[in-house]
Amino acid sequence: MLLELSLDKIATLTQGKILAGKGENVFSHISIDSRQIINPGKTLFVALRGAKADGRDFIPALAAQGVAGFLVHDDFDLGKIIAGNVGIVAVQDTRKALQALAKYQREQFKKPVISITGSNGKTIVKEWLGQVLSQTYSVAKSPKSYNSQVGVPLSIFGIEPYHQVAILEAGVSKAGEMEILEKMIRPDLGILTNIGTAHDDGFASTAEKIREKLSLFRDSKLLIYCKDQRLLGEQIEQSFDSDRLISWSEVAGADFSRSLKSMEYGTRMILMKKDLSTFTFQIPFTDPASLENITQVIVAAITLGQAAESIQEGINHLRPVDMRLTLKPGINDALLIDDTYNNDLGGLKVALDFMQQQRPKRRKVLILSDLLQQGMPERIYGEVSELIQNHGIDHIIGVGKEIGRLRESFPGKYSGFATTEDLLSMLNPEEFSNDLVLITGARSFGFEQVVNRLQQRIHGTTLEINLNALTHNFNFYKRQINPGTKVMVMVKAFAYGGGAVEIANHLQTMGADYLAVAFSDEGVTLRKQGIRLPIMVLNPVEESFDLCREFQLEPVVFSPDFFKSLALYCQNHQTHLSIHLDLDTGMHRLGFEEAHLEELKQLIQKTPQLPVASIYTHLVGADEEIHRDFSLAQLHQFARMKDEILAVLPYKPLVHALNSAGIVAFPEYQFDMVRLGIGLYGVEVTGKYDASLRPISTLKTTISQVKILNPGETVGYSRKGMLPNGGKIATLSIGYADGYDRRFSNGKGFVLIQGKKAPVIGNVCMDMVMVDVSELDVKAGDEAIIYGEQISLKELADQIGTIPYELLTNISTRVKRVYYLD
């Protein structure tokens, strides 16, 4: 929500100029996403410019939908708007204008604002602090990881007058960014979690990074920090007066001295203040990171005056929070969105927006608990009702005492239950066939039981795909190309193992221009799941012509004979098929050679049933500098060949040559479109921008059993595995049938368990692999990472003499794919 502002006031705050509309027009909603308009008649749409899209391109359609106001750059063409009473304010920079509005909104909130920053742990501290404080106060907090130059303003717009405290997260990646965030947030109480290596490339030194983080708190009344981080503690104490600092430490001398004692089911924490007053808490965690985070939370809660009993009550409901919106396969082709840690209005909006972006299913079902400690129920559930109705929900399943208020205003089906146990007793997974189901609720409702009841059981091994990392990589490559260059994304081979349908749907949402698949049946699957983007088929066969026609797939044509076959099919069926011409400039796999050009030109001219959508070639060695001259020769040959073809066409098809490596190595040859493949999935094959990409997938499994071996005992088939001095092994539930390559046998491969390497011992089996855990304290059920952010695919591929492509595409379809936003 936005505090009600007139068009005049908006123009004043943003130093803008009213181009259209009446100055007295009032707005109470703000949006930066054309897909997330709730109340168009009261909405101000801010047209941001980004790597993926320019917000002004959506303005005509939004005006036609009834959106009442727009904040635009001062070069906006007013002629694009054909509407009566639309208000338009032009500014020099719409992002700065958005921040100016957020600054004003923050100034109107007179209650405590807490801000959290640091290299690690800030999101989890924010979530836990919100849950603990909500035992006593009505809390506003940043949704998810909304901590950026745009995320912070959106978080501030979520603060309502009835909130008693606000918690805002702040994140920066380079020097100078925090000053902008500080002007908006103006925290009363600060928490600095820690300083790590994240975003080191954006700062000249660790000291500069600390100074940047600390600038958030320059005017805050108090700052909480851990004194045990020596460099951090010293710089804080040099920068701030001691009466503004609240420190905690394992040793005496801090404002809070902490002592820990391990218990059977967690940890006992004792905090002693300098006046010798003590606080004792039972913590459900034992790992150092969680204990550090919960200490920050407890010290902040005590500082705000929350009673120890209330803090403990909040802690009792905590567990390590999976800070992600997770997409999981459900029973009978249902699709589940697991948001079971969330319980506030801002988080619900994010989850509903995520739901809106998914591929169409039979129904949209929302399973929602009471929103606890959120303020006045009449107002809260009124806003919830408005949110739900604007997101097209078909069926609400409500759990709790207050959620039933939605029944009166919701026009669809409503089912109410007093408790989660009541819901589970009646929950039949068969009723959710082909449904899209969002499950979101307060921790105390235990909705993870609902997810477990509805989700598909496939395999203990899971491939997790981070959709935010995918977006990051897509935007990285968008920044490497010209604004008008289109992007075709390769989703062949099950989207490099990641799952073609969900990844294609996300790409469609992000603004990709084209998709490419290897075979027609892959394209058919995408069409049946609601993918509307143009789809190029790289390896079509004559038997698939019917499918190409029925599902609007665009086949690659690579030889005169294949061209003639497809032309004859179109003539016989009185139809047209858009085609893509593959020119062979050195790959010597498929494609027209220069000797074919005369015949090809004649075929094109006499076959209007086959309009040419694009002309392209494959680079052989763009990923290796040693082949640079050959690649340039390919590109020059391609330029000549495509010019000959273009000369006989009365229209201009798309032209493309660059793959992921080529985008980086030969940016001057972008032509009309580039083809993004392995780079999207986090592998930068040239090695120039490794640090700029994020791995999108993590393959993980669990320990099935732990065994002790005596000296001389062997492991696995053919007795290949041996620990001469004896030791301990763990059997993992993954094997070569899941895509874990057999070449990793006998110490060639390793996994990570508890952050430490465990080498493979013996041969990789079909469904299992054994690893040496002699030096680790592990048990059945513990997680093992096969690859991900901590284990480089390149490193693993090098170990067995292959390439990352093979490791990615080998992951079996029996391995469950889980998609999430972190």
Side-chain angles (χ1 to χ4, degrees):
M1 293 285 285
L2 179 71
L3 293 178
E4 286 201 344
L5 294 175
S6 68
L7 200 64
D8 280 333
K9 185 68 173 178
I10 291 168
T12 300
L13 292 171
T14 60
Q15 298 181 7
K17 177 183 178 183
I18 297 177
L19 298 183
K22 298 178 180 179
E24 63 270 19
N25 287 1
V26 172
F27 302 89
S28 56
H29 291 71
I30 194 163
S31 178
I32 64 168
D33 192 326
S34 62
R35 301 160 300 183
Q36 299 174 5
I37 305 298
I38 294 175
N39 186 341
K42 292 290 185 180
T43 294
L44 176 72
F45 178 76
V46 182
L48 297 177
R49 289 175 176 168
K52 291 192 298 180
D54 188 334
R56 66 180 174 183
D57 296 337
F58 303 97
I59 291 177
L62 291 173
Q65 292 172 24
V67 173
F70 299 94
L71 199 55
V72 300
H73 281 85
D74 50 18
D75 61 355
F76 179 72
D77 180 6
L78 193 59
K80 291 185 176 182
I81 296 290
I82 306 173
N85 195 28
V86 171
I88 301 177
V89 175
V91 296
Q92 190 172 5
D93 186 320
T94 51
R95 186 175 71 171
K96 290 180 179 177
L98 179 76
Q99 293 167 346
L101 294 176
K103 178 178 180 291
Y104 175 77
Q105 176 120 347
R106 160 64 184 98
E107 289 168 352
Q108 310 315 303
F109 187 70
K110 305 302 182 183
K111 297 156 193 172
V113 172
I114 306 164
S115 192
I116 304 165
T117 193
S119 296
N120 306 105
K122 51 186 176 289
T123 302
I124 196 74
V125 169
K126 178 255 299 179
E127 289 295 325
W128 280 353
L129 182 58
Q131 292 181 41
V132 168
L133 292 180
S134 67
Q135 300 299 312
T136 306
Y137 310 108
S138 175
V139 180
K141 58 183 174 64
S142 307
K144 309 295 180 186
S145 298
Y146 276 32
N147 59 26
S148 66
Q149 303 290 307
V150 172
V152 167
L154 296 179
S155 299
I156 290 173
F157 295 133
I159 302 174
E160 299 283 1
Y162 59 79
H163 285 131
Q164 296 171 290
V165 62
I167 310 171
L168 300 173
E169 183 181 335
V172 294
S173 58
K174 60 185 179 182
E177 291 183 336
M178 192 62 87
E179 181 182 1
I180 299 169
L181 299 186
E182 191 276 337
K183 288 178 180 177
M184 290 185 283
I185 298 173
R186 303 304 300 268
D188 300 293
L189 172 64
I191 301 174
L192 184 50
T193 58
N194 53 49
I195 294 294
T197 59
H199 303 301
D200 269 357
D201 55 345
F203 302 93
S205 64
T206 301
E208 182 186 62
K209 184 194 289 189
I210 294 174
R211 286 195 297 273
E212 179 73 14
K213 304 276 187 185
L214 288 178
S215 66
L216 174 63
F217 310 118
R218 65 184 183 188
D219 293 322
S220 62
K221 297 181 179 70
L222 296 169
L223 171 60
I224 295 169
Y225 69 102
C226 176
K227 198 178 180 72
D228 296 337
Q229 299 178 47
R230 188 180 58 79
L231 180 61
L232 178 62
E234 289 175 357
Q235 198 154 335
I236 288 174
E237 288 155 14
Q238 291 168 9
S239 305
F240 292 84
D241 293 337
S242 59
D243 60 353
R244 295 174 59 196
L245 299 179
I246 300 175
S247 61
W248 62 271
S249 173
E250 296 282 351
V251 297
D255 295 290
F256 288 85
S257 298
R258 185 183 78 167
S259 63
L260 303 173
K261 182 178 181 181
S262 294
M263 310 293 287
E264 185 177 0
Y265 298 107
T267 304
R268 177 180 294 162
M269 179 187 295
I270 299 174
L271 291 175
M272 180 180 290
K273 296 180 72 173
K274 286 182 175 180
D275 63 5
L276 302 184
S277 57
T278 60
F279 303 86
T280 302
F281 300 97
Q282 302 299 321
I283 311 299
F285 315 120
T286 57
D287 63 289
S290 294
L291 291 171
E292 179 181 319
N293 291 333
I294 196 62
T295 305
Q296 305 275 23
V297 169
I298 292 171
V299 172
I302 293 171
T303 301
L304 288 168
Q306 190 172 16
E309 297 79 8
S310 183
I311 296 172
Q312 183 65 63
E313 183 64 26
I315 292 171
N316 292 342
H317 294 299
L318 297 181
R319 67 176 186 182
V321 173
D322 191 354
M323 286 303 307
R324 311 181 303 187
L325 271 172
T326 308
L327 205 57
K328 298 178 176 179
I331 295 170
N332 292 330
D333 200 33
L335 197 58
L336 311 180
I337 301 173
D338 181 354
D339 192 29
T340 50
Y341 78 89
N342 177 56
N343 190 232
D344 61 55
L345 199 59
L348 176 61
K349 184 179 186 304
V350 171
L352 287 168
D353 290 342
F354 182 61
M355 188 184 205
Q356 195 86 331
Q357 295 170 18
Q358 304 314 310
R359 54 195 168 94
K361 304 293 277 183
R362 183 176 68 106
R363 296 183 306 170
K364 287 183 179 179
V365 179
L366 172 62
I367 302 179
L368 179 66
S369 79
D370 280 349
L371 277 74
L372 303 179
Q373 285 87 33
Q374 288 293 300
M376 297 176 290
E378 300 82 4
R379 178 161 183 178
I380 283 293
Y381 290 102
E383 292 184 33
V384 171
S385 175
E386 187 178 22
L387 263 179
I388 290 170
Q389 292 188 46
N390 280 281
H391 284 81
I393 302 297
D394 300 295
H395 182 190
I396 297 175
I397 299 174
V399 180
K401 298 177 180 177
E402 297 285 351
I403 197 74
R405 293 171 180 268
L406 297 177
R407 189 192 303 268
E408 299 173 7
S409 57
F410 180 61
K413 181 179 179 182
Y414 181 92
S415 306
F417 299 88
T419 66
T420 305
E421 290 70 29
D422 292 342
L423 168 60
L424 290 168
S425 70
M426 301 292 291
L427 194 65
N428 179 7
E430 303 297 326
E431 295 179 0
F432 299 92
S433 175
N434 196 31
D435 284 347
L436 179 60
V437 186
L438 169 59
I439 304 149
T440 179
R443 174 70 66 215
S444 58
F445 283 85
F447 271 11
E448 60 271 12
Q449 301 171 77
V450 178
V451 175
N452 290 337
R453 178 72 62 86
L454 296 178
Q455 75 175 326
Q456 188 181 103
R457 298 287 185 273
I458 301 178
H459 197 288
T461 299
T462 301
L463 183 67
E464 295 185 344
I465 293 94
N466 183 339
L467 296 178
N468 277 350
L470 188 111
T471 300
H472 170 88
N473 296 341
F474 182 82
N475 288 338
F476 168 78
Y477 282 101
K478 285 283 283 185
R479 289 193 294 272
Q480 310 311 307
I481 61 178
N482 299 324
T485 303
K486 295 181 181 295
V487 179
M488 172 184 282
V489 182
M490 316 305 284
V491 292
K492 60 182 181 174
F494 207 49
Y496 289 67
V501 172
E502 304 308 338
I503 287 178
N505 183 72
H506 193 67
L507 290 166
Q508 186 167 264
T509 301
M510 286 193 297
D513 300 288
Y514 247 99
L515 299 176
V517 297
F519 300 104
S520 300
D521 54 353
E522 294 176 316
V524 170
T525 298
L526 295 179
R527 286 284 185 253
K528 287 183 175 178
Q529 296 296 336
I531 303 302
R532 303 178 303 278
L533 288 174
I535 299 174
M536 180 175 83
V537 181
L538 289 161
N539 303 303
V541 293
E542 291 188 33
E543 292 80 5
S544 70
F545 290 170
D546 282 333
L547 293 176
C548 289
R549 175 168 62 105
E550 181 181 354
F551 291 96
Q552 296 179 297
L553 307 177
E554 302 175 6
V556 165
V557 176
F558 47 81
S559 71
D561 287 343
F562 193 81
F563 194 113
K564 293 170 188 175
S565 297
L566 188 58
L568 181 61
Y569 172 86
C570 288
Q571 290 164 9
N572 291 340
H573 290 80
Q574 298 183 332
T575 190
H576 288 68
L577 276 177
S578 294
I579 62 171
H580 300 261
L581 299 179
D582 182 358
L583 306 186
D584 185 2
T585 59
M587 179 69 79
H588 300 318
R589 192 171 58 182
L590 293 174
F592 293 95
E593 300 170 15
E594 284 199 270
H596 296 138
L597 287 186
E598 286 303 321
E599 184 178 6
L600 174 59
K601 289 189 289 185
Q602 293 173 21
L603 288 169
I604 291 171
Q605 288 176 302
K606 66 182 184 182
T607 316
Q609 300 94 335
L610 296 179
V612 179
S614 84
I615 306 171
Y616 74 98
T617 194
H618 288 278
L619 297 183
V620 173
D623 56 333
E624 297 182 83
E625 185 65 25
I626 193 174
H627 300 307
R628 182 173 180 82
D629 289 344
F630 188 85
S631 296
L632 286 170
Q634 277 192 277
L635 289 164
H636 294 153
Q637 181 183 354
F638 174 64
R640 292 194 308 272
M641 293 175 72
K642 61 93 176 170
D643 283 344
E644 273 199 57
I645 296 169
L646 292 176
V648 302
L649 287 171
Y651 53 89
K652 173 71 166 60
L654 296 169
V655 175
H656 49 110
L658 301 185
N659 54 10
S660 297
I663 295 170
V664 170
F666 303 101
E668 67 273 26
Y669 288 96
Q670 294 174 25
F671 297 111
D672 304 310
M673 184 160 68
V674 295
R675 299 190 303 274
L676 182 54
I678 191 75
L680 179 72
Y681 303 96
V683 180
E684 206 291 278
V685 289
T686 71
K688 293 180 180 178
Y689 294 102
D690 270 337
S692 298
L693 298 183
R694 293 175 59 188
I696 74 159
S697 53
T698 300
L699 181 62
K700 56 175 61 175
T701 189
T702 54
I703 295 176
S704 300
Q705 189 176 14
V706 178
K707 288 180 177 288
I708 304 297
L709 293 190
N710 296 318
E713 290 187 305
T714 60
V715 179
Y717 287 116
S718 304
R719 304 187 69 200
K720 294 289 186 182
M722 184 177 292
L723 296 174
N725 299 318
K728 184 168 56 175
I729 65 167
T731 301
L732 311 180
S733 55
I734 187 172
Y736 59 78
D738 303 300
Y740 191 60
D741 201 294
R742 200 167 182 272
R743 289 172 288 181
F744 286 127
S745 299
N746 302 306
K748 283 276 191 178
F750 64 91
V751 303
L752 281 188
I753 302 175
Q754 299 173 353
K756 297 178 180 177
K757 288 186 178 181
V760 172
I761 182 167
N763 285 327
V764 176
C765 306
M766 181 181 288
D767 308 301
M768 289 172 275
V769 65
M770 287 68 74
V771 295
D772 182 0
V773 292
S774 300
E775 305 301 320
L776 301 177
D777 180 16
V778 301
K779 62 184 182 301
D782 283 356
E783 184 178 83
I785 305 296
I786 310 302
Y787 67 70
E789 286 200 50
Q790 299 164 290
I791 302 182
S792 161
L793 271 171
K794 282 186 180 179
E795 179 184 358
L796 289 178
D798 288 346
Q799 285 286 101
I800 59 173
T802 186
I803 55 178
Y805 298 76
E806 184 178 1
L807 298 185
L808 284 171
T809 57
N810 277 355
I811 303 303
S812 165
T813 54
R814 80 177 187 177
V815 173
K816 180 168 67 176
R817 271 73 175 172
V818 173
Y819 305 86
Y820 67 91
L821 294 176
D822 61 5

